[in-house]
């Protein structure tokens, strides 16, 4: 049978062409049905962890593996106390060694036509993985400390009905599998069963005798037969060695041996060398995009004004400062000493060349970055809230400031605005080359902090207290604020006090020329962009006009929307600041 060593029937030839280890995400378990037109086809694939000494015994006799995991349950027959011990295994049988039980990487059991997959708890524990279940039922296993999401993905239970299964897979990071195999000194052996059908099989039919052909190899048993209606059915039971002990791509620490070469440095830096550095002796420059995943996870503390990050009391990246629009300068001595090796490697992946400090491209710590821009917006909101509250008090209204702007400035100042969930999202970094959809989503987040946070009910009370106005019943918060600001601007122009002279201001304003530049025109433009993002307005019709109010044209976004988003942040803060000043001047 040497001639058949690499032989496959046409219906199963794809199996011989597969290279499961070639992908960064390795399928370690799978059950599925194929939509064969003749007879439903299917696949069952599972993974065994086989110790090296057992592999040496088994040798090439891989066909001896059973094609799926077995278990002592569910619903064991034993009923006496202490008679039952739960167990999972993938068995191998040979005449020489008898039955050998190997450990499954993915546990399996079936109940009520449902097949459950559970990733080996020993594996998930080894790497500190934390499960995250989404609406579809998939379970994602994340390394939350690094952070690195989706180390493994386990599908919900598959359902068998009418000779077909809904299908399910378990996919695991190849680096983590390799690391685990090395730590455990085991081999990963995939066991599988597959059946496919079709009208013909040109490779198998010349070999068939009485409509049947059987091939037994060391690693697989193939059966091809012709059914009574002429359908060719091919089946295979087999096993294959996917990987074995080797490198430790996850747990090994290259910082101890070869070190890391940072841009701008002449040689790699090891952990031992970093310990001997003086504070501030060697700097590294990191793209602030490194903060994005941390900012999306509440378990991390991110300080956007410096770029520092911490994960509880376990590790932190400190001694940082922002440089230019999108760089973080950090001290390598501190980084190596305070962060886990995986975190150091992650930050190294975002490293950039040192920026120019002189000339036309010079950058400095005073240049605006998204953290400063976000802080400016929050400070301007707080200033506007104070001015509105002062006006309300002059009108004998007792309105808490959080009812006017959506947050309490004293509380936010005490705890840090960057710790507040609904605020900190606007401080997440973004590159200059962001696309349209990212731009829209970021404007949506900014609108929630600015426009949506304005208290419509509280602002309506202020407008009513200033004097009768018939057209405010359907007005939203922006139009109400705009009404107050126009009156304040008119009062200042006429040398009146908006609060004490409100009847005179309202009368003259109603009779006079109201045409003026809208005081919060950019806030209205932001609201329009937000409605585009929410699909309530048409992009082509609305966006050019909205951008025009920020001083841009559509052509300016050809290389990315980041510069425009920077301007949106800056001009929104400017509108808020101007609004607060208008109120202050109008009530003086």
């Amino acid at each position: 049978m040497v001639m058949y060593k690499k032989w496959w029937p046409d219906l199963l030839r794809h199996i011989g062409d597969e290279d499961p280890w070639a992908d960064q995400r390795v399928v370690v378990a799978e059950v599925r049905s194929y939509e064969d037109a003749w007879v439903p086809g299917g696949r069952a694939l599972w993974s065994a962890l086989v110790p090296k000494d057992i592999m040496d015994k088994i040798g090439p006799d891989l066909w001896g593996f059973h094609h799926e995991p077995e278990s002592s349950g569910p619903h064991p027959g034993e009923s006496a106390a202490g008679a039952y011990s739960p167990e999972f295994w993938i068995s191998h049988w040979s005449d020489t060694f008898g039955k050998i039980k190997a450990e499954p990487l993915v546990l399996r059991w079936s109940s009520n036509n449902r097949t459950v997959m559970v990733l080996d708890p020993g594996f998930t524990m080894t790497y500190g993985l934390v499960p995250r279940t989404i609406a579809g039922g998939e379970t994602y296993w994340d390394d939350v400390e690094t952070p690195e999401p989706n180390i493994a993905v386990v599908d919900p239970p598959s359902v068998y009905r009418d000779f077909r299964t809904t299908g399910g897979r378990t996919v695991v990071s190849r680096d983590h599998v390799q690391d685990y195999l090395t730590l455990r000194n085991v081999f990963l052996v995939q066991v599988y069963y597959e059946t496919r059908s079709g009208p013909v099989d040109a490779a198998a039919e010349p070999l068939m005798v009485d409509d049947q052909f059987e091939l037994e190899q060391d690693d697989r048993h193939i059966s091809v037969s012709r059914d009574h209606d002429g359908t060719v059915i091919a089946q295979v039971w087999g096993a294959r060695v996917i990987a074995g002990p080797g490198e430790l791509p996850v747990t090994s620490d290259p910082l101890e041996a070869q070190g890391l070469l940072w841009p701008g440095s002449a040689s790699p830096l090891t952990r031992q060398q970093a310990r001997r550095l003086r504070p501030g002796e060697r700097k590294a420059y990191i793209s602030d995009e490194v903060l994005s995943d941390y900012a999306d996870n509440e378990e991390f503390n991110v300080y956007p004004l410096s770029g520092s990050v911490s994960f509880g009391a376990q590790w932190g990246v400190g001694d940082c400062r922002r440089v230019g629009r999108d760089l973080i300068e950090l001290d390598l001595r501190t980084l190596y000493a305070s962060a886990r090796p995986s975190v150091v490697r992650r930050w190294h992946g975002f490293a950039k060349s040192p920026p120019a400090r002189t000339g036309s491209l010079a950058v400095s710590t005073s240049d605006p970055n998204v953290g400063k821009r976000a802080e400016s917006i929050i400070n301007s909101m707080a200033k506007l809230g104070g001015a509105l509250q002062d006006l309300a008090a002059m009108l004998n209204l007792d309105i808490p400031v959080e009812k006017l702007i959506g947050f309490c400035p004293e509380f936010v100042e005490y705890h840090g605005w960057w710790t507040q969930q609904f605020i900190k999202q606007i401080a997440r970094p973004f590159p200059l080359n962001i696309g349209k959809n990212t731009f829209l989503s970021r404007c949506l987040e900014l609108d929630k902090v600015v426009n949506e946070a304005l208290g419509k009910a509280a602002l309506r009370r202020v407008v009513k207290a200033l004097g009768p106005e018939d057209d405010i019943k359907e007005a939203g918060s922006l139009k109400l604020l705009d009404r107050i600001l126009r009156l304040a601007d008119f009062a200042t122009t006429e040398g009146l006090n908006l609060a004490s002279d409100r009847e005179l201001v309202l009368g003259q304003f109603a009779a006079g020329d109201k045409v003026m530049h809208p005081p919060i025109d950019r806030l209205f433009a932001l609201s329009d962009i937000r409605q585009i993002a929410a699909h309530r307005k048409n992009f082509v019709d609305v966006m050019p006009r909205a951008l025009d109010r920020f001083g841009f044209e559509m052509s300016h976004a050809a290389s990315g929307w980041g510069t425009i988003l920077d301007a949106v942040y800056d001009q929104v803060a400017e509108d808020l600041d101007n609004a607060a000043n208008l109120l202050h001047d109008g009530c003086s």
Side-chain angles (χ1 to χ4, degrees):
M1 289 294 182
V2 175
M3 62 178 292
Y4 298 123
K5 194 67 178 177
K6 295 184 178 180
W7 183 88
W8 290 89
D10 288 343
L11 291 169
L12 299 172
R13 190 176 303 279
H14 59 279
I15 300 176
D17 296 333
E18 290 176 350
D19 185 3
W21 199 246
D23 297 329
Q24 291 294 325
R25 303 284 173 175
V26 180
V27 178
V28 294
E30 181 178 25
V31 291
R32 61 168 299 181
S33 289
Y34 296 108
E35 293 301 321
D36 288 355
W38 291 267
V39 178
R43 163 179 280 203
L45 180 148
W46 303 88
S47 296
L49 301 173
V50 185
K52 185 178 183 303
D53 59 335
I54 301 299
M55 283 299 301
D56 292 340
K57 289 182 180 180
I58 293 172
D61 182 23
L62 297 177
W63 181 44
F65 280 102
H66 189 56
H67 67 273
E68 62 184 3
E70 301 171 79
S71 63
S72 54
H75 315 304
E78 293 86 346
S79 58
Y84 175 66
S85 177
E87 185 181 4
F88 297 89
W89 69 90
I90 294 178
S91 61
H92 179 280
W93 172 263
S94 69
D95 293 335
T96 305
F97 303 105
K99 187 175 182 178
I100 296 173
K101 291 183 177 181
E103 177 184 343
L105 180 58
V106 178
L107 310 182
R108 167 201 174 274
W109 65 89
S110 294
S111 181
N112 193 27
N113 291 337
R114 289 164 171 78
T115 298
V116 178
M117 293 181 180
V118 176
L119 187 58
D120 172 24
F123 175 86
T124 56
M125 176 276 297
T126 297
Y127 300 103
L129 305 184
V130 176
R132 169 173 51 90
T133 303
I134 65 172
E138 296 92 344
T139 300
Y140 290 80
W141 290 88
D142 306 328
D143 179 349
V144 296
E145 293 188 32
T146 300
E148 185 177 355
N150 308 344
I151 301 299
V153 182
V154 183
D155 285 345
S158 60
V159 180
Y160 179 78
R161 184 181 296 114
D162 298 330
F163 302 104
R164 289 175 171 82
T165 179
T166 56
R169 301 197 312 172
T170 296
V171 182
V172 184
S173 156
R174 186 180 65 190
D175 283 348
H176 285 76
V177 175
Q178 177 63 76
D179 200 83
Y180 195 59
L181 297 178
T182 304
L183 289 173
R184 298 282 309 277
N185 196 30
V186 296
F187 285 82
L188 184 70
V189 178
Q190 285 191 345
V191 299
Y192 59 90
Y193 165 76
E194 183 158 337
T195 178
R196 301 298 296 269
S197 63
V200 296
D201 192 304
E205 289 185 62
L207 305 173
M208 296 172 68
V209 177
D210 296 331
D211 293 331
Q212 182 75 29
F213 176 68
E214 302 282 337
L215 173 65
E216 295 185 8
Q217 295 284 13
D218 292 337
D219 62 345
R220 63 192 184 275
H221 179 182
I222 296 174
S223 172
V224 185
S225 61
R226 188 186 307 278
D227 205 353
H228 61 85
D229 63 357
T231 302
V232 178
I233 301 174
Q235 301 177 83
V236 61
W237 298 260
R240 56 194 180 190
V241 179
I242 300 305
E247 297 179 347
L248 289 166
V250 177
T251 57
S252 65
D253 184 2
L255 306 183
E256 296 292 354
Q258 68 267 32
L260 295 172
L261 180 62
W262 296 85
S265 299
S267 59
L269 181 66
T270 66
R271 188 180 296 279
Q272 185 177 9
Q273 291 169 334
R275 292 191 186 103
R276 295 198 294 264
L277 292 174
R278 297 185 301 275
E281 182 178 348
R282 286 185 65 174
K283 304 285 188 180
Y285 296 88
I286 313 296
S287 167
D288 66 354
E289 291 182 60
V290 73
L291 302 177
S292 295
D293 287 340
Y294 299 124
D296 289 336
N297 192 321
E298 294 186 19
E299 296 185 69
F300 294 93
N301 295 315
V302 179
Y303 185 50
L305 293 175
S306 70
S308 300
V309 178
S310 63
F311 183 76
Q314 298 188 39
W315 62 263
V317 177
D319 200 3
C320 301
R321 60 204 55 80
R322 299 298 292 261
V323 176
R325 178 192 179 277
D326 47 22
L327 286 180
I328 300 170
E329 180 188 76
L330 55 81
D331 179 27
L332 285 175
R333 178 179 181 271
T334 302
L335 175 67
Y336 276 63
S338 60
R340 293 179 53 186
S342 59
V343 175
V344 177
R345 293 196 297 269
R346 173 180 171 78
W347 283 62
H348 177 263
F350 289 85
K352 302 293 182 181
S353 298
R357 296 301 186 128
T358 59
S360 59
L361 300 177
V363 300
S364 72
T365 56
S366 62
D367 292 335
N369 56 68
V370 69
K372 287 183 178 180
R373 288 187 161 102
E375 183 177 56
S376 179
I377 288 172
I378 299 308
N379 289 342
S380 296
M381 282 285 288
K383 183 178 177 181
L384 174 62
L388 285 169
Q389 190 178 37
D390 289 344
L391 171 60
M394 294 178 187
L395 299 173
N396 297 316
L397 298 174
D398 183 15
I399 303 178
V401 67
E402 55 266 31
K403 296 291 186 180
L404 292 162
I405 60 170
F407 65 90
C408 174
E410 289 79 10
F411 179 89
V412 167
E413 182 179 5
Y414 180 80
H415 292 279
W417 61 265
W418 55 90
T419 67
Q420 304 305 299
Q421 186 60 36
F422 90 102
I423 294 177
K424 70 179 185 180
Q425 295 303 315
I426 68 172
R428 289 185 297 116
F430 54 89
L432 290 174
N433 64 349
I434 58 171
K436 179 188 72 176
N437 291 337
T438 302
F439 171 79
L440 291 174
S441 66
R442 293 301 300 262
C443 286
L444 180 62
E445 292 172 352
L446 183 57
D447 186 86
K448 291 178 181 179
V449 173
V450 179
N451 294 335
E452 190 176 312
L454 295 172
K456 182 166 63 176
L459 291 173
R460 181 174 284 115
R461 289 179 63 192
V462 175
V463 172
K464 286 183 175 180
L466 286 171
E469 180 63 38
D470 295 333
D471 61 355
I472 67 168
K473 291 182 179 179
E474 302 299 326
S477 56
L478 273 185
K479 288 188 176 180
L480 292 168
L481 177 60
D482 181 71
R483 167 76 176 174
I484 296 169
L485 295 175
R486 286 173 183 268
L487 291 173
D489 188 38
F490 182 82
T492 302
T493 303
E494 298 298 318
L496 300 172
N497 185 292
L498 176 59
S500 58
D501 301 324
R502 58 184 177 276
E503 293 183 2
L504 185 59
V505 170
L506 197 67
Q508 293 186 7
F509 181 78
D513 185 3
K514 303 180 188 178
V515 178
M516 63 179 70
H517 181 74
I520 49 174
D521 197 29
R522 275 82 63 92
L523 298 191
F524 279 105
L526 176 63
S527 178
D528 287 342
I529 295 174
R530 182 252 173 87
Q531 293 184 61
I532 295 172
H535 307 292
R536 289 198 292 268
K537 289 189 176 182
N538 183 273
F539 179 89
V540 176
D541 295 337
V542 177
M543 183 60 80
R545 297 197 303 272
L547 290 184
D548 181 65
R549 283 179 279 178
F550 288 106
F552 288 91
E553 299 177 358
M554 290 292 293
S555 60
H556 292 142
S559 59
W561 291 78
T563 300
I564 299 176
L565 187 54
D566 284 346
V568 170
Y569 271 67
D570 294 340
Q571 294 182 41
V572 163
E574 186 178 306
D575 262 16
L576 292 170
D577 207 51
N578 290 340
N581 291 335
L582 271 179
L583 287 173
H584 180 269
D585 294 342
C587 296
S588 298

